[in-house]
Amino acid sequence: MHVPDGFLDAPTSVATMVVAGGVVAASLVRASRRELDERTAPLAGLVAVFVFAAQMVNFPVGAGTSGHLIGAALAAVLVGPATATLCLTVVLAVQAFLFADGGVTALGTNVVLMGVVAVWVGYGVARAVLAVLPRRMSSVPLAAAASSFVSVPAAALVFTGLFAVGGVAPIPLGPLVATMLGWHLLIGVGEALITFLAVSSIVAARPDLVHAARGRMPALQLRTPEPVA
Amino acid sequence: MNADVRPDAPRPRVSTRRLVLVGAAVCLVIAGVVSSFASRHPDGLQHVAHSLGFAGAARESAAAGSPLAGYGVDGVPNGFLSGGLAGVVGLVVVAVVMGGLVLLLRRLGRRRG
């Protein structure tokens, strides 16, 4: 999904850079006011590190094509959408500047696609799914898996929109939408599997830290040992 | 067991410190070892760009001269070592940058609140 330099023209790249900058600035404020507290801050660092590591592991999806985790919905469910945007932005910037993975002038585009669209679509779908599933912790990994599955084609669709506006080659929109959606639905299946496993692990170990479960699950209760008779 | 504690109530099973240490170890193995076994096929976007004929529009990144470009370390001939080392370096950089950002935001959040 990492867009290289040269796919989109300069005005489109500048526009996405401006949008990305605005959302990152707003995310800094929202993350510090509403999402990061003493308890959840360490998880934010861990999520960024996991997204970087997992993005290195491309899995085959058939016909000589591969895909890798985006991790946007995973991050949004675990640490909240604004912190998720910051996690993805840090990962994408390190990949662009250190590893030449994703273009430098395309960094704004990649932040918009993976750090904004995939994060907020993922977060929205996760909230919607959690609203209809039973109020149990076991619902959280299911909601995360469903939302991560949707987040991948959503980001792919927005890329085709950007390419329709500012793409450097006159590619007919129909085939572009069809092939981008087709492959990214397949990649979404892998995204959902990895997200389900990762979120399940955190839910099993520290359900109290999971952002999407805040206010929806029974409060953490202190249990005092029963007196021994 | 206390009757009014629902069996599903969230209970921390491990300390935050242990969670971060175990999580970081898992991520180190993924970035340092598992990444060497990743599929080398083009990803979804690259594949679509090739099949629809706009792959040639890609220009070399301004960071292409980085000693870590393409997830390898310049001067390390062994592919497994080179890739694994690049993964570990990237992971440490992400941890330091994100950790620093989180600390800064926590400090600012405390000052305001």
Side-chain angles (χ1 to χ4, degrees), chain A residues 174-204:
Chain A
L176 183 61
V177 170
T179 47
M180 279 299 282
L181 269 187
W183 285 111
H184 288 91
L185 282 167
L186 277 178
I187 295 170
V189 175
E191 177 96 14
L193 280 173
I194 299 170
T195 300
F196 181 81
L197 291 175
V199 173
S200 295
S201 311
I202 300 296
V203 162

Side-chain angles (χ1 to χ4, degrees), chain A residues 10-223:
Chain A
T12 310
S13 299
V14 171
T16 56
M17 193 68 89
V18 170
V19 171
V23 177
V24 167
S27 300
L28 288 168
V29 175
R30 185 183 159 108
S32 99
R33 286 190 184 160
R34 296 174 56 174
E35 294 178 2
L36 290 168
D37 59 36
E38 305 282 317
R39 290 182 320 118
T40 58
L43 188 58
L46 185 59
V47 164
V49 163
F50 178 76
V51 169
F52 173 80
Q55 287 203 356
M56 286 185 74
V57 185
N58 279 56
F59 47 82
V61 290
T65 305
S66 72
H68 63 69
L69 182 84
I70 295 176
L74 180 155
V77 165
L78 287 180
V79 293
T83 309
T85 294
L86 300 180
C87 287
L88 268 292
T89 302
V90 167
V91 168
L92 290 166
V94 168
Q95 289 169 333
F97 290 116
L98 235 49
F99 299 99
D101 183 15
V104 170
T105 60
L107 181 57
T109 302
N110 284 317
V111 168
V112 166
L113 294 177
M114 289 179 268
V116 179
V117 173
V119 162
W120 282 95
V121 166
Y123 187 67
V125 172
R127 291 290 295 257
V129 172
L130 278 177
V132 297
L133 288 182
R135 289 172 71 106
R136 284 199 291 264
M137 282 310 290
S138 54
S139 298
V140 174
L142 286 174
S147 67
S148 65
F149 173 69
V150 177
S151 72
V152 181
L157 208 53
V158 172
F159 170 78
T160 60
L162 290 176
F163 201 84
V165 174
V168 291
I171 305 295
L173 197 55
L176 183 61
V177 170
T179 47
M180 279 299 282
L181 269 187
W183 285 111
H184 288 91
L185 282 167
L186 277 178
I187 295 170
V189 175
E191 177 96 14
L193 280 173
I194 299 170
T195 300
F196 181 81
L197 291 175
V199 173
S200 295
S201 311
I202 300 296
V203 162
R206 290 300 299 270
D208 57 312
L209 297 184
V210 176
H211 185 274
R214 273 191 201 176
R216 296 198 52 81
M217 302 296 155
L220 182 66
Q221 302 190 29
L222 280 177
R223 291 186 304 159

Side-chain angles (χ1 to χ4, degrees), chain A residues 1 5 38 58 98 101 220, chain B residues 10 39 43 59 66 71 106:
Chain A
M1 177 69 76
D5 287 329
E38 305 282 317
N58 279 56
L98 235 49
D101 183 15
L220 182 66
Chain B
S39 167
D43 73 7
R59 279 186 281 107
S66 158
Y71 297 94
R106 284 290 313 130

Side-chain angles (χ1 to χ4, degrees), chain B:
Chain B
M1 193 188 192
N2 190 341
D4 58 29
V5 173
R6 289 171 53 172
D8 215 26
R11 278 188 297 276
R13 300 243 175 86
V14 298
S15 69
T16 302
R17 185 188 170 82
R18 194 176 164 83
L19 177 78
V20 169
L21 285 177
V22 172
V26 170
C27 293
L28 267 177
V29 172
I30 295 172
V33 182
V34 180
S35 64
S36 289
F37 302 96
S39 167
R40 302 266 179 240
H41 288 307
D43 73 7
L45 175 61
Q46 291 168 322
H47 179 86
V48 169
H50 277 289
S51 59
L52 295 185
F54 62 93
R59 279 186 281 107
E60 194 174 57
S61 162
S66 158
L68 295 169
Y71 297 94
V73 180
D74 270 0
V76 179
N78 182 303
F80 183 80
L81 277 182
S82 174
L85 204 55
V88 171
V89 171
L91 191 138
V92 170
V93 173
V94 168
V96 168
V97 174
M98 192 65 199
L101 184 62
V102 165
L103 277 179
L104 190 70
L105 289 177
R106 284 290 313 130
R107 195 159 294 173
L108 293 175
R110 260 203 306 275
R111 193 168 299 163
R112 231 195 340 267

